Amino acid sequence: MNQKSTQSPAEDIQANLQNVRLGIKLACEKFGRDPDHVALLAVSKTKPVSMIASAIALGQIHFGENYLQDALTKIEEIKNQAKLPKPIWHYIGAIQSNKTRPIAEHFDWVHTVSSHKIAKRLSDQRPSHMPPLNILLQVNIDAEPTKSGVKPEQLLELMRAILQLPGIQLRGLMAIPAPASEFELQRAPFKALGDLKQHCIAKLGSELQGFDQLSMGMTGDLEAAIAEGATWLRIGTAIFGERN
Ligand SMILES: *Cc1c(COP(=O)(O)O)cnc(C)c1O
């Protein structure tokens, strides 16, 4: 949110978080969603540790980061602030195959897996004393040629292969549709992702356990995502302000 206020960033974050939580609550009422099934992932990429600490102190638990080196530094710094509750870290950026180890070691969730190669590396490199890494498969839902993500028609095959991997647990699907300003246009790809999830469940049935998550919706389209079944909203700007 573009705020030209004289408040300190911590006060901004408090007001912003309240607004976002209220927006989620109202959208849940409007579209008949159970608010307990819609979780807020605060996307803190490029934002300083002080802002993350403020959000944690305000009860925010889940944080999403895109840039690995920056994220690892922040995770370490937050860990050293003994007074803060422990947040849960989600990796939501592009994954290079030579960078999978620190992701497997330092994150609880990964939203951007789109190949067997990456999934297998994450599984192999997940430390054995940790629970399986929760992963979501990123789907190129509106088939944009340059966009990352698995193609919908290749999803089932990828899922069958990934289900065999012991170090990860397949939890659902994620998408970043092309930005659209109209509500109905925003809804269409989110509906498509939800339908695809149901299709996967129908096809793979009992092989799937805990495959119940849809990561979709950002600052500009969170209401449409809630309308279509989002369980993770990935919100950056509305909480932490514009990024440079
Ligand atoms: C940056 C980012 C977000 C947050 O976007 P906002 O528009 O700032 O809410 C969500 N998801 C992904 C994958 C991102 O890279």
Side-chain angles (χ1 to χ4, degrees):
M1 239 148 263
N2 246 329
Q3 296 199 343
K4 291 201 194 87
S5 73
T6 54
Q7 290 174 319
S8 69
E11 286 167 328
D12 284 348
I13 289 173
Q14 179 163 30
N16 291 348
L17 262 179
Q18 276 171 358
N19 277 336
V20 170
R21 287 172 182 156
L22 181 62
I24 293 170
K25 180 173 170 279
L26 293 176
C28 284
E29 281 167 12
K30 185 165 167 188
F31 296 103
R33 295 287 315 281
D34 178 349
D36 289 345
H37 294 161
V38 184
L40 177 57
L41 176 57
V43 176
S44 49
K45 65 179 175 213
T46 79
K47 299 296 180 182
V49 164
S50 58
M51 283 189 162
I52 298 172
S54 297
I56 295 173
L58 293 161
Q60 179 61 32
I61 297 166
H62 296 274
F63 291 85
E65 287 279 344
N66 297 55
Y67 306 113
L68 185 58
Q69 211 45 56
D70 190 35
L72 294 173
T73 308
K74 290 194 251 182
I75 290 170
E76 196 55 34
E77 285 183 36
I78 293 284
K79 209 183 265 172
N80 292 335
Q81 304 200 13
K83 276 175 286 180
L84 286 179
K86 199 175 164 313
I88 296 174
W89 296 99
H90 298 235
Y91 189 75
I92 61 169
I95 306 173
Q96 288 172 273
S97 59
N98 61 343
K99 300 281 173 59
T100 48
R101 185 177 296 279
I103 296 176
E105 290 176 348
H106 295 282
F107 287 83
D108 300 290
W109 291 73
V110 181
H111 291 227
T112 41
V113 176
S114 58
S115 73
H116 182 257
K117 180 183 175 189
I118 295 290
K120 178 154 191 332
R121 290 179 67 91
L122 290 171
S123 175
D124 290 347
Q125 293 168 345
R126 181 67 167 173
S128 56
H129 67 272
M130 295 174 87
L133 184 62
N134 294 294
I135 70 160
L136 304 173
L137 295 178
Q138 182 175 354
V139 180
N140 186 354
I141 196 68
D142 35 27
E144 291 178 84
T146 58
K147 179 95 55 76
S148 46
V150 59
K151 294 195 181 91
E153 60 271 26
Q154 290 167 353
L155 182 61
L156 277 175
E157 189 189 340
L158 178 60
M159 284 177 62
R160 286 196 180 96
I162 283 181
L163 282 170
Q164 314 302 323
L165 301 171
I168 60 176
Q169 188 176 11
L170 188 52
R171 296 301 309 276
L173 304 178
M174 177 272 207
I176 314 171
S181 49
E182 269 178 65
F183 187 71
E184 290 306 322
L185 291 177
Q186 292 176 352
R187 263 182 99 148
F190 294 146
K191 177 173 192 317
L193 194 71
D195 289 349
L196 195 56
K197 173 172 154 261
Q198 289 315 117
H199 177 70
C200 294
I201 291 170
K203 287 285 178 189
L204 298 174
S206 56
E207 288 177 70
L208 286 177
Q209 286 202 348
F211 183 77
D212 49 15
Q213 303 294 312
L214 283 175
S215 169
M216 57 190 199
M218 319 201 307
T219 293
D221 53 16
L222 72 101
E223 194 180 343
I226 289 171
E228 294 298 345
T231 65
W232 287 109
L233 301 167
R234 307 181 312 268
I235 309 294
T237 308
I239 298 172
F240 298 111
E242 299 282 347
R243 290 176 295 273
N244 293 330

